[in-house]
């Protein structure tokens, strides 16, 4: 069983350099490379589904490497939460690479796809790792891949600038994580998650623990787009190609949130009183800054980047409340938001390819010339506007009612205000796309090719399916939340 | 450069704590971790320099105050 778990990582690790080595030989043939990448991702996705089924039957999967047993040596482990996250990542990356198969320039195709494969591997590695040692290595690999993905259009100066900004901020965050790890190591003498939480339950009230929590919060929160550290995110998402923006806001950000969850609940779970108020403050700040900045944006990608920040805020609300139901709401929202935001970014990518602009004003009325993409886009925007019977509605209701039940009514009240904001900008987008008169640019556009329509419609269908039939997903999120919480 | 110094501080801290935690001997885990993080830091700095070179080609300067065309 452990070999199979490793095989998920091994297949994708080996697959990544292979295409860059073979790139010269096959003369950067676009179809060949993209078919190869998609089949590798499909293989890995199938492997993880098999794992998911066996984990749901109650097996735990643990693989150690090296000679030392787990508390000393390093190990990877798949539990329900990590396989859930891995499935989200693999699904989104599969659809995004299918989408970008026709778009990437031929000279860059091998570099682009090998970096994407490397990034998927690193993200799956982060969620499978069972100690901080492994986690940090995969984390840095993920960060390096994402810096280079942002700057992949190195002819455009904005992507260079965004990538520079991202690199500086994110490496500062990684160093803050490293510092916190050194504190934790000094306190306990181990980096394994289980042993850390056992040792830290004895270290009550040590100021070093608080410092470590704060530094981990800065480091992981930076990647998740938490508000004082969010400034890289709109620039990076705006400058990257659309499929990469989808992967960023649906996967890389969620990896930051996953690490926050792991740190706060598994390692510092018994220090809940210490951290839940600061997290709530961060959550409120994140929601308000994200939503208010999104209200008046004209650039579609920048708008969705800010809305991503706001949705990170909603997830943080669930984490701050910390009851099983609220946590289940957060986990469910991670899935829903990943589906919706990647749908929206892929649609924007289709608009950009066909109309050569990402300004909302210039693509007004584009539904007449690109009906299929616009329908999917409107479904996504409605879901973002908390329209009932679409997926985001259910998770947001879960978070709001749970924080109400837990006696944090102010938090749910503030969140409802924010939902009004997000409904306002989503409806504004729909109005521009569907109701306004056509501009010159949108009259010239025509429908996107099939390889772009398919991933968009798969995502739109998933959004509707979860919205109409949310019960099994909610149940899954509740199972994960119960497994994650140390106290019942 | 500043990033590199911060990285070194963190690594040094790691080693100091590692010799403190287990009495007498220095724990090997911390050393392995430090060596790995130094090499990762090298990778990041290399990538940073590449991006800096491209920034220089676009802007003709390395003054950070000039690199603010995305501000709006």
């Amino acid at each position: 069983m452990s070999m199979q778990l490793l095989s998920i990582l091994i297949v994708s690790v080996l697959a990544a350099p292979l295409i860059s080595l073979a790139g010269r030989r096959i003369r950067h043939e676009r179809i060949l490379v993209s078919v190869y990448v998609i089949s590798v991702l499909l293989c890995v996705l199938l492997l993880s589904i098999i794992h998911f089924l066996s984990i749901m039957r109650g097996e735990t999967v643990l693989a150690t490497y090296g000679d030392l047993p787990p508390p000393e040596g390093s190990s990877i482990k798949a539990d329900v939460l990590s396989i859930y996250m891995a499935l989200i990542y693999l699904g989104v990356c599969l659809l995004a690479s299918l989408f970008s198969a026709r778009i990437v320039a031929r000279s860059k195709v091998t570099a682009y796809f090998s970096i994407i494969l490397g990034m998927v591997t690193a993200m799956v590695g982060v969620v499978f790792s069972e100690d901080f040692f492994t986690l940090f290595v995969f984390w840095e690999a993920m960060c390096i891949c994402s810096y280079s993905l942002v700057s992949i259009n190195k002819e455009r100066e904005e992507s260079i600038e965004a990538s520079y900004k991202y690199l500086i901020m994110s490496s500062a965050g990684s160093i803050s994580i490293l510092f916190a790890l050194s504190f934790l190591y000094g306190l306990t003498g181990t980096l394994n998650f289980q042993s850390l939480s056992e040792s830290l339950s004895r270290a009550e009230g040590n100021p070093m623990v608080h410092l470590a929590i704060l530094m981990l919060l800065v480091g992981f929160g930076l990647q998740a787009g938490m508000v004082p550290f969010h400034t890289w995110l709109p620039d990076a998402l705006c400058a990257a190609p659309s499929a990469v923006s989808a992967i960023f806001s649906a996967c890389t950000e969620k990896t930051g949130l996953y690490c926050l969850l792991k740190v706060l609940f598994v390692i510092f779970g018994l220090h809940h009183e210490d951290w839940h108020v600061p997290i709530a403050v961060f959550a409120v700040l994140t929601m308000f800054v994200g939503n208010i900045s999104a209200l008046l944006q004209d650039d579609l990608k920048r708008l969705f980047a800010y809305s991503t920040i706001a949705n990170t805020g909603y997830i943080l609300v669930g984490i701050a409340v910390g009851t099983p139901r609220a946590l289940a709401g957060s986990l469910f929202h991670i899935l829903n938001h990943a589906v919706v935001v990647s749908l929206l970014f892929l649609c924007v990518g289709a608009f950009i390819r066909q109309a050569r602009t990402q300004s909302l004003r210039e693509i007004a009325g584009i539904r007449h010339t690109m009906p299929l993409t616009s329908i999917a886009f409107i479904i996504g925007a409605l879901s973002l506007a908390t329209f009932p019977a679409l997926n985001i509605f259910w998770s947001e209701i879960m978070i709001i009612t749970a924080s109400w039940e837990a006696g944090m009514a102010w938090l749910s009240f503030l969140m409802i205000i924010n939902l009004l904001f997000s409904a306002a900008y989503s409806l504004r987008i729909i109005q521009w796309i569907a109701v306004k008169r056509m501009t010159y640019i949108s009259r010239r556009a025509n429908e996107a090719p099939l390889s772009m329509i398919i991933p968009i419609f798969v995502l739109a269908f998933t959004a509707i399916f979860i919205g109409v039939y949310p019960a099994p997903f909610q149940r899954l999120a509740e199972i994960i939340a119960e497994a994650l919480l140390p106290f019942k | 450069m500043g990033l590199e110094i911060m990285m070194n501080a963190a690594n040094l801290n790691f080693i100091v704590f590692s010799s403190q935690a287990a009495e007498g001997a220095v724990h090997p885990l911390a050393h392995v971790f430090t060596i790995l993080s130094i090499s990762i830091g090298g990778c990041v700095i290399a990538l940073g320099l590449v991006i800096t070179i491209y920034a220089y080609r676009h802007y003709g300067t390395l003054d950070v105050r000039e690199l603010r065309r995305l501000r709006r």
Side-chain angles (χ1 to χ4, degrees), chain A residues 187-442:
Chain A
L187 276 173
T188 60
T190 177
L191 287 175
N192 185 278
F193 289 145
Q194 292 307 323
S195 338
L196 260 179
S197 76
E198 281 161 20
S199 316
L200 283 173
S201 60
R202 290 193 293 273
E204 200 71 52
N206 193 326
M208 218 132 79
V209 175
H210 294 254
L211 198 60
I213 296 182
L214 190 71
M215 292 180 111
L216 286 174
L217 204 64
V218 170
F220 291 129
L222 199 144
Q223 197 73 23
M226 224 163 64
V227 142
F229 325 108
H230 72 288
T231 45
W232 63 271
L233 204 139
D235 293 345
L237 289 193
C238 204
S242 303
V244 174
S245 318
I247 295 178
F248 260 61
S249 58
C251 308
T252 317
E253 261 218 331
K254 303 295 183 275
T255 316
L257 282 169
Y258 166 84
C259 291
L260 273 184
L261 276 174
K262 199 88 185 175
V263 164
L264 293 176
F265 285 98
V266 175
I267 296 170
F268 296 109
L270 296 170
H271 299 73
H272 181 256
E273 282 74 32
D274 292 346
W275 53 257
H276 82 279
V277 175
I279 290 276
V281 172
F282 277 128
V284 171
L285 267 178
T286 310
M287 286 191 297
F288 271 99
V289 170
N291 274 326
I292 291 174
S293 319
L295 269 181
L296 292 171
Q297 286 295 329
D298 177 54
D299 187 326
L300 273 173
K301 283 172 104 174
R302 201 166 268 271
L303 195 156
F304 290 128
Y306 281 115
S307 109
T308 305
I309 294 172
N311 277 285
T312 303
Y314 303 152
I315 297 167
L316 284 176
V317 167
I319 296 176
V321 172
T323 57
R325 211 175 125 70
L327 199 56
S330 285
L331 290 165
F332 191 30
H333 195 76
I334 287 179
L335 167 68
N336 287 340
H337 182 247
V339 169
V340 168
V341 89
S342 47
L343 165 65
L344 288 169
F345 269 119
L346 292 188
C347 288
V348 173
F351 289 145
I352 290 174
R353 180 165 187 271
Q354 303 298 336
R356 308 248 165 250
T357 175
Q358 55 193 53
S359 154
L360 184 57
R361 253 169 253 288
E362 288 173 6
I363 60 163
I366 205 165
R367 82 177 165 92
H368 299 287
T369 45
M370 297 175 70
L372 290 174
T373 318
S374 303
I375 288 171
F377 187 78
I378 288 170
I379 290 171
L382 277 179
S383 180
L384 206 61
T386 333
F387 193 73
L390 282 170
N391 56 359
I392 280 190
F393 172 76
W394 296 106
S395 50
E396 279 174 351
I397 287 294
M398 245 171 122
I399 297 175
I400 290 174
T401 52
S403 66
W404 191 279
E405 282 165 11
M408 293 170 100
W410 57 280
L411 211 51
S412 45
F413 179 67
L414 288 176
M415 190 166 155
I416 290 170
I417 294 178
N418 272 288
L419 292 187
L420 293 180
F421 281 133
S422 64
Y425 63 72
S426 312
L427 294 178
R428 176 171 156 262
I429 301 169
I430 295 173
Q431 183 202 9
W432 277 95
I433 294 285
V435 185
K436 295 262 179 176
R437 293 186 50 200
M438 280 204 281
T439 59
Y440 173 65
I441 292 174
S442 56

Side-chain angles (χ1 to χ4, degrees), chain A residues 72 133 140 144 147 154-155 157-158 160-161 163-164 167 171 175 178-179 181-183 185-186 235, chain B residues 3 7 11 13-14 17-18 27 32-33 36 40 43-44 47 51-52 54-55 58-59 67-70:
Chain A
E72 300 287 315
F133 183 84
E140 282 289 342
I144 291 174
Y147 308 145
K154 55 181 186 287
E155 299 82 29
E157 57 192 18
E158 63 257 45
I160 292 292
E161 188 184 326
S163 165
Y164 196 69
L167 188 139
S171 12
I175 290 166
L178 188 65
F179 228 110
L181 295 191
S182 75
F183 281 134
Y185 184 76
D235 293 345
Chain B
L3 284 177
M7 190 87 168
N11 283 333
N13 204 24
F14 225 104
F17 276 125
S18 75
H27 200 279
V32 176
F33 197 96
L36 250 160
I40 290 172
C43 295
V44 173
L47 196 67
I51 294 174
T52 315
Y54 277 113
H58 279 297
Y59 293 89
L67 264 76
R68 46 174 21 181
R69 294 185 201 171
L70 276 179

Side-chain angles (χ1 to χ4, degrees), chain A residues 63-131:
Chain A
T64 51
Y65 47 90
D67 302 329
L68 293 165
E72 300 287 315
S74 308
S75 54
I76 57 176
K77 179 183 165 190
D79 53 6
V80 206
L81 172 62
S82 50
I83 201 87
Y84 172 76
M85 300 296 285
L87 281 176
I88 297 176
Y89 298 157
L90 289 169
V92 170
C93 289
L94 177 66
L95 294 173
S97 31
L98 180 61
F99 178 86
S100 54
R102 290 281 296 268
I103 309 180
V104 194
R106 192 163 168 181
S107 57
K108 286 189 193 124
V109 68
T110 46
Y112 176 81
F113 278 119
S114 56
I115 298 172
I116 282 199
L117 272 184
M119 192 156 136
V120 175
T121 315
M123 287 188 300
V124 172
V126 166
V127 293
F128 279 171
S129 53
E130 185 48 20
D131 57 326

